[in-house]
Amino acid sequence: MSGCLRLILGDQLTEDLPIIRDANFSRDCFLMAEVREEATYVRHHKKKIAFLFSAMRHFATALEQRGAPLRYIRFNDDDNPGSLLEAVKQILAERNLEQVVVTMPGEYRLLKSMQQWSSVLGVEVTILPDTRFLSSPEEFSDWADGKKQLRMEFFYREMRRKHNVLMDGKNPVGGKWNYDAQNREPMPAGQHVPGTTRFEADDITQAVIDLVAEYFPDHFGDLMPFNMAVTRPQALQVLDGFIAHRLKDFGRYQDAMVEGQPWLFHSHLSFYINCGLLTPREVIDAAEREYHAGNAPLNSVEGFIRQILGWREYVRGFYWHFMPGLKSDNYFGHERDLPDFFWNGHTNMNCLRQCIKETQANAYAHHIQRLMVLGNFCLLTGLSPTQVQDWYLLVYADAYEWVELPNVAGMILYSDGGNLASKPYVASGSYINKMSDYCKNCGYQVSKKTGPKACPFNYLYWRFIDAHQDRLRNNPRMGMIYKTYDRMADDKIAAMRDDAAIFLTKLSKNEEV
């Protein structure tokens, strides 16, 4: 009997997925490929490419050690066909296989392509569900059907009930669903931050580092030092390190930002969950056990679990529910080009400089840096949603379209017009000053609202509120802001408009800001 060709993508590195678990090693064949098309259509961060290629090669080795017949195509192989479809064609031509089996990909473009493969290849193509997620796109759409507002908090509560996470019978443990109000403390000076879990490059990783240095020299970001986990045992060590050393303080400091401290008390697990080396459920269970053992407070554990069981599941469902329109939505009609300093950090605004430089070095920034510094700036200055989406997708090693696009289009840019967020996430410099120590080393003064030394976030914020009254004034969550705006003197509003116009003109010309 002929077997199946089982294609494993680079973010599906989980051995208990059905595509692997249900395979017959005596007649099926696995295919993994470092596809040139996928690696280059977006100019991904060097560290992201190195991480995924190394993780893929280690995963392939582990599969072969289990006796799995596997064809692995490396990026620089002479016979690399360049695309997934051509790689599949190549294997089918070489072997007597009657079916292709894939796991649902995390990108709309690729799913639509795979849905045409059967007619192109002349064999049956089966697309299996991705069982690592705790909800399906269909489940999300059923939940969303008929609702005027798709608020994550209510979806999260349903997920808590369904999966019996942090529950006391029918009620949430502790009596409340959400402890976010306790999780907004700035980092006190002198607070000890535990070191991160790091790994030395083995021969496989070093070969990948050399490959990335040779073939991707012009891509964004620093390749070295490289010390990420690239195997499941290593990823489990990162998880253990977070649970033991960071989780207890994760909650209260999760929104804090500290100059020179990119990692803080965050888990750094999204790299490994999103590519499959860790599963969401095992990470959730590990955090919940720590709470029940009395080793971590409820506000930290609930806040962490909400990011995975709530937000991560929600944005994935949201992505599939609103695609393909989500990618082209532009509610405010923003079209300004992304400024050059997003690629090098050359700006007098220290908060942006810190976040961009840390992104450049680590292919990582935590969620408040992404949302309330970088994203806040993108929205206030009217940058093109498409260009901003592309930037976020390529610079972060945990970014895949299913998770990046809802966060950027819906949460950061409000370009979907409010399907995801109840209001635009914009703030003046006072928020950044409250939650970070960035302002003390800035070329601008956060205390000044207008003038050449004023923090640009201050006048850009009120310029945004002023410019988009027609779209935002009737938003219930913007009422207090517009009451403040309405009390402002005309000359103050005029000064903010003028300062914003000067700044935006310089930005469009790529002059130093």
Side-chain angles (χ1 to χ4, degrees), residues 320-332:
W320 289 109
H321 188 70
F322 284 101
M323 283 298 284
L326 183 64
K327 195 172 179 68
S328 57
D329 285 343
N330 191 351
Y331 181 70
F332 293 114

Side-chain angles (χ1 to χ4, degrees), residues 224-244:
M224 300 301 292
F226 186 92
N227 42 46
M228 299 173 72
V230 291
T231 67
R232 175 163 169 79
Q234 289 179 345
L236 286 169
Q237 288 184 53
V238 180
L239 171 59
D240 290 345
F242 168 67
I243 295 296

Side-chain angles (χ1 to χ4, degrees), residues 34 36 39 53 57 73-77 80 211 215-216:
E34 297 167 8
R36 291 175 181 171
F53 281 8
R57 293 186 184 189
I73 300 173
R74 300 188 178 210
F75 185 86
N76 55 345
D77 285 347
N80 187 320
L211 180 147
Y215 287 91
F216 303 93

